[in-house]
Amino acid sequence: MIFSCRQRSGLLFALLCGVFLCGSCHALPQQNSPADPPADAQAAAADEKAENPFPRAVEIPAGIMDGGAGWMNTARPLSLEDLRGKVVLLDFWTYCCINCMHILPDLKYLEEKYADQLVVIGVHSAKFDNEKDSDAIRQAMMRYEIHHPVVNDNEMLIWRKFGVRAWPTVALIDPQGRFCGSQSGEGHRELLDAVIGRLVDYHRQQGTLDETPLMFRQDADAQQPTALRYPGKICLDTSGSRVFITDSNHHRIIVAGLDGSLQGVIGSGREGYRDGGFAEAEFSRPQGTVLIGDTLYVADTENHMIRSISLADQQVATLAGTGLQGRPGMPPAATLRETDLNSPWSLAHYNGVLYIAMAGPHQIWSHQLGTQQIGVYAGSGREDVVNGALATSAFAQPSEIIVDAAGEFLYLVDSEGSSIRRVPTNPDGEVTTIAGTSELPRGQSLFAFGDQDGVGADARFQHPLGIALADGALIVADSYNHKLRRINAETSEVTTIAGDGQAGSELEPLRFSEPGGLAFSDGVLWVADTNNHRILKISMATGAAEEFTVNGLQPPVVVPRAALPDPADAILVTAQLRKQAEQLELYIDPRIPEGFKLNADFPTMWSLFALDEQTLVAPEWLNSRRPAELTAEGQLKITLPLTGQQGGAVFVLEASYGYCDQGDQGLCRQANAHWKIPVSIADEGTVEPIRLLFPAPVLPLQIDLPE
């Protein structure tokens, strides 16, 4: 059974039971077999009315989404009443949680597949104190590129109204504003896809589905480009006088001299997976790196891979991982490239062994370089802070791992447990906790956080993400406290050495914003000050801090890819140009409905595709999304430079714009259209622009609940 039946105090509806079971839902279509009905019988069945997949769904009380401390990615607070006619998926999450990160690709997949029918709303119900702040949530949303609206449920009021018990949990609302059920955990993409598809089919046939696309203001649009974007980790190569910076949200690695000179950029800046030369390689939010000889190994976190970079050959290759997220308890595969990994976050090396902080399954993995074996070194997979033998110990989202100079111990930050751990490189040794709590009953260590200096178990951290060894002491990036802490390796005494607990960017007094990674050499501590998009250098002798600038480093220029719409549905328009024409101009009348207006927050975007080989337009103008110019007359203008070549081509032009209620706080909807345009260039052509007309935008449905 996928859902459990339970009632909770104050809840005016009951959870459905069993509605997602295969026995109570239609199977997906299969290829014809001798047992299949004939084609005419299948066609007749397709004409029948779809069955309501949630006949016992019940109405949600008005105002159930009230109580949040602020909304992001929307011009105004939303209610479920605003979204009648849409399938609504509520995602209860907290941004520290690796499991919450894991379902973001599933939500993105569903949002793209059901772009006109589904609205996802994030309900951020914080675990850590720092996560209750709306600005901190907004930073996390931009770091993970969340585009749907999010409400800050900092008092967990909405959480309690829906009876949620775990992160992540999703709740499903039908187009008539009725609650269908909820599901916790990750790995439910296929289940949600099937259920949402059934809801869409049913309500489309009932006429209660509003398929007018909605548009929401994006907080990220107000952000200015920066040379670094949420840098995660730092690796120092003092013998080579260089530093490697994981420019995580630019999906690349920066190589710089210790003097600030730019020595190389590894990765195109486009998120994805691609091996090859530095300019074309692709990563997905990489984190920790380690240099072994002339090879840089990278924890390619959201690709679930370990990548190897030959600095001499300037080539990126894949060492381990399939690109699929591994699941706990999966048997080991025969080779590195056949093994599914799960959010590798940091790397350390000693004596030919690569140690991996595998954040997803809460374990430490290892790989003997030169072999095909990779697997669990320490950690049972249970998310907790438990000491003891390697196999029975437990970790909670390890996020940075280092090795001491003698190679006897690994030190790591256990982020969700807010503890600092020590792991022996001798497999017969035992895991211990240096500072922070451990061994508390029933996972209570996951909630034993705070901001307190002290000795060992008396000290408190809040989701630390970075650790380094500095002159015999451990330095910890206490990320959610916005501090640096020092731990005496012999006495386990914890003291604060920088930061006052407030997020900020000042150098005097020194403040950080969720610092993520550390490195130390020659008396200088290097800090990846993640939310401030900068690297800091701090003198351990004087405490003086300065920003490390990489001279000439620019943010990558990445034009978003666009998907070809169905040419068969396109409006046909022809164009014949004279051969001396240098450009093709197109003007589009958007046809704004009465009572609505264009909104500058939603620029008109267009994409051009060629259906066959062509030479009329340079390739860089194809298959990407670009903004259109708005003329004084209210038309949308697109200018396409031509190459000067003669001949013909068939293009598909797609355009979209947002139209909003006249009120400043109104909801915005999206109009889309695409045209098929055969273009020829010859002596007898014209140079007149092409004038196009949007189809009349569809007004939103008025959806009423049945009596």
Side-chain angles (χ1 to χ4, degrees):
M1 184 175 293
I2 300 301
F3 293 157
S4 60
C5 273
R6 60 183 182 269
Q7 285 186 313
R8 298 184 64 83
S9 175
L11 219 59
L12 301 182
F13 46 82
L15 303 183
L16 274 77
C17 286
V19 291
F20 285 0
L21 288 174
C22 291
S24 60
C25 62
H26 297 298
L28 295 177
Q30 304 292 325
Q31 292 184 341
N32 284 348
S33 69
D36 288 331
D40 56 346
Q42 295 183 48
D47 292 334
E48 295 179 2
K49 286 291 184 181
E51 181 182 354
N52 184 358
F54 294 101
R56 291 178 288 166
V58 292
E59 184 177 357
I60 290 178
I64 197 170
M65 296 296 289
D66 294 346
W71 284 78
M72 282 71 71
N73 277 353
T74 176
R76 67 172 176 85
L78 299 175
S79 69
L80 294 179
E81 290 78 11
D82 292 329
L83 302 174
R84 289 283 167 82
K86 300 291 186 185
V87 179
V88 178
L89 191 69
L90 303 181
D91 171 33
F92 291 87
W93 68 299
T94 184
Y95 74 77
C96 66
C97 168
I98 191 71
N99 309 94
C100 298
M101 299 177 204
H102 285 162
I103 74 166
L104 292 177
D106 296 342
L107 298 180
K108 182 178 180 181
Y109 168 84
L110 295 170
E111 289 175 288
E112 292 177 350
K113 180 172 182 178
Y114 300 102
D116 299 342
Q117 300 88 21
L118 174 69
V119 173
V120 174
I121 296 179
V123 183
H124 190 276
S125 306
K127 171 187 171 180
F128 289 102
D129 292 339
N130 181 66
E131 296 177 303
K132 295 180 180 181
D133 180 73
S134 291
D135 288 337
I137 298 169
R138 186 175 290 107
Q139 290 280 4
M141 289 170 58
M142 289 186 284
R143 191 160 64 244
Y144 295 113
E145 298 181 12
I146 295 172
H147 301 299
H148 52 252
V150 171
V151 57
N152 179 5
D153 184 29
N154 64 343
E155 298 298 328
M156 304 189 89
L157 299 176
I158 305 172
W159 169 287
R160 287 194 289 269
K161 291 175 187 177
F162 278 88
V164 178
R165 293 184 176 183
W167 299 280
T169 292
V170 295
L172 196 62
I173 316 296
D174 78 5
Q176 291 181 297
R178 299 180 299 188
F179 176 69
C180 299
S182 62
Q183 175 65 50
S184 62
E186 57 181 276
H188 304 302
R189 176 188 294 191
E190 292 78 9
L191 174 67
L192 291 169
D193 188 5
V195 173
I196 292 170
R198 291 186 63 203
L199 276 173
V200 167
D201 289 343
Y202 173 74
H203 286 278
R204 180 179 285 145
Q205 290 192 8
Q206 295 296 310
T208 50
L209 183 69
D210 184 353
E211 300 192 67
T212 306
L214 291 179
M215 302 181 72
F216 298 102
R217 187 192 68 194
Q218 298 294 298
D219 290 2
D221 291 342
Q223 299 299 304
Q224 296 299 314
T226 51
L228 296 172
R229 198 71 180 164
Y230 298 106
K233 303 295 182 186
I234 304 168
C235 176
L236 289 174
D237 174 24
T238 53
S239 63
S241 298
R242 56 187 174 178
V243 57
F244 301 93
I245 301 167
T246 47
D247 191 8
S248 298
N249 265 54
H250 284 153
H251 314 289
R252 62 185 186 175
I253 313 297
I254 306 302
V255 188
L258 298 183
D259 60 357
S261 59
L262 177 60
Q263 296 186 1
V265 175
I266 307 172
S268 67
R270 183 182 297 279
E271 182 180 13
Y273 164 63
R274 178 180 293 182
D275 287 337
F278 284 6
E280 64 262 22
E282 294 175 356
F283 302 87
S284 182
R285 292 187 186 86
Q287 286 289 335
T289 62
V290 64
L291 183 66
I292 306 174
D294 206 29
T295 300
L296 185 73
Y297 293 91
V298 181
D300 193 4
T301 304
E302 296 199 13
N303 274 328
H304 308 291
M305 289 178 164
I306 305 296
R307 312 291 290 279
S308 63
I309 301 173
S310 171
L311 299 173
D313 299 332
Q314 297 196 354
Q315 290 290 312
V316 177
T318 299
L319 174 72
T322 64
L324 299 177
Q325 180 190 339
R327 300 295 179 189
M330 293 179 64
T335 68
L336 293 170
R337 295 295 303 275
E338 295 175 318
T339 302
D340 296 336
L341 307 183
N342 191 340
S343 297
W345 210 276
S346 179
L347 305 173
H349 169 255
Y350 175 70
N351 197 28
V353 177
L354 195 65
Y355 295 95
I356 305 150
M358 201 73 74
H362 315 290
Q363 293 172 323
I364 307 304
W365 283 38
S366 66
H367 161 61
Q368 181 72 51
L369 292 170
T371 73
Q372 285 295 317
Q373 280 70 52
I374 188 171
V376 177
Y377 178 75
S380 64
R382 169 187 170 189
E383 185 178 14
D384 207 339
V385 186
V386 177
N387 301 319
L390 298 184
T392 58
S393 62
F395 301 90
Q397 206 169 307
S399 297
E400 186 156 46
I401 186 170
I402 58 174
V403 62
D404 66 12
E408 293 184 78
F409 294 104
L410 304 165
Y411 291 93
L412 60 94
V413 283
D414 235 1
S415 300
E416 283 294 279
S418 298
S419 295
I420 314 305
R421 315 294 298 281
R422 184 172 68 184
V423 180
T425 55
N426 180 349
D428 295 327
E430 292 194 345
V431 176
T432 56
T433 299
I434 301 299
T437 62
S438 62
E439 308 294 340
L440 297 183
R442 294 182 299 174
Q444 292 178 23
S445 292
L446 302 181
F447 297 89
F449 59 86
D451 182 3
Q452 180 176 307
D453 289 341
V455 177
D458 293 331
R460 291 293 182 271
F461 303 85
Q462 189 179 181
H463 199 78
L465 286 172
I467 189 168
L469 274 166
D471 296 329
L474 292 168
I475 309 298
V476 173
D478 192 4
S479 302
Y480 287 5
N481 282 326
H482 315 290
K483 288 183 173 183
L484 299 181
R485 315 285 289 278
R486 182 184 185 276
I487 305 176
N488 185 306
E490 295 182 358
T491 66
S492 295
E493 182 183 7
V494 178
T495 56
T496 298
I497 60 172
D500 60 3
Q502 297 185 45
S505 59
E506 302 91 334
L507 294 181
E508 294 184 12
L510 181 57
R511 284 179 173 160
F512 313 93
S513 183
E514 296 189 13
L518 302 177
F520 175 81
S521 178
D522 296 329
V524 175
L525 183 69
W526 296 63
V527 182
D529 192 10
T530 302
N531 285 357
N532 282 324
H533 315 294
R534 68 184 183 181
I535 304 298
L536 295 178
K537 293 172 60 178
I538 303 173
S539 168
M540 294 295 288
T542 67
E546 62 177 326
E547 184 171 347
F548 176 73
T549 301
V550 182
N551 299 321
L553 181 65
Q554 297 294 322
V557 178
V558 179
V559 181
R561 295 188 180 109
L564 172 66
D566 188 353
D569 297 336
I571 303 167
L572 182 64
V573 179
T574 60
Q576 189 172 25
L577 306 177
R578 284 207 294 267
K579 64 180 181 181
Q580 66 265 36
E582 296 181 354
Q583 61 188 28
L584 172 60
E585 291 185 347
L586 303 102
Y587 291 85
I588 309 175
D589 185 347
R591 298 180 71 179
I592 308 300
E594 185 176 353
F596 291 82
K597 63 180 180 179
L598 284 175
N599 191 316
D601 287 339
F602 305 105
T604 300
M605 303 298 292
W606 61 273
S607 305
L608 186 72
F609 308 88
L611 294 186
D612 297 297
E613 293 292 330
Q614 63 85 35
T615 59
L616 306 186
V617 174
E620 59 264 25
W621 289 91
L622 302 176
N623 310 321
S624 60
R625 291 180 58 77
R626 300 172 181 271
E629 176 186 347
L630 182 65
T631 68
E633 294 76 23
Q635 291 185 315
L636 314 174
K637 180 181 178 182
I638 298 170
T639 302
L640 278 172
L642 300 174
T643 62
Q645 299 291 318
Q646 295 192 53
V650 179
F651 298 100
V652 173
L653 174 71
E654 181 186 45
S656 63
Y657 68 88
Y659 57 102
C660 308
D661 300 342
Q662 289 287 3
D664 291 337
Q665 300 298 315
L667 288 179
C668 294
R669 291 165 174 83
Q670 186 179 47
N672 297 285
H674 59 287
W675 296 265
K676 183 178 179 180
I677 310 176
V679 176
S680 61
I681 297 181
D683 292 336
E684 64 275 15
T686 180
V687 292
E688 292 298 316
I690 299 174
R691 300 191 180 275
L692 306 173
L693 185 66
F694 254 97
V698 179
L699 295 177
L701 289 177
Q702 297 297 317
I703 305 293
D704 296 319
L705 283 172
E707 296 294 334

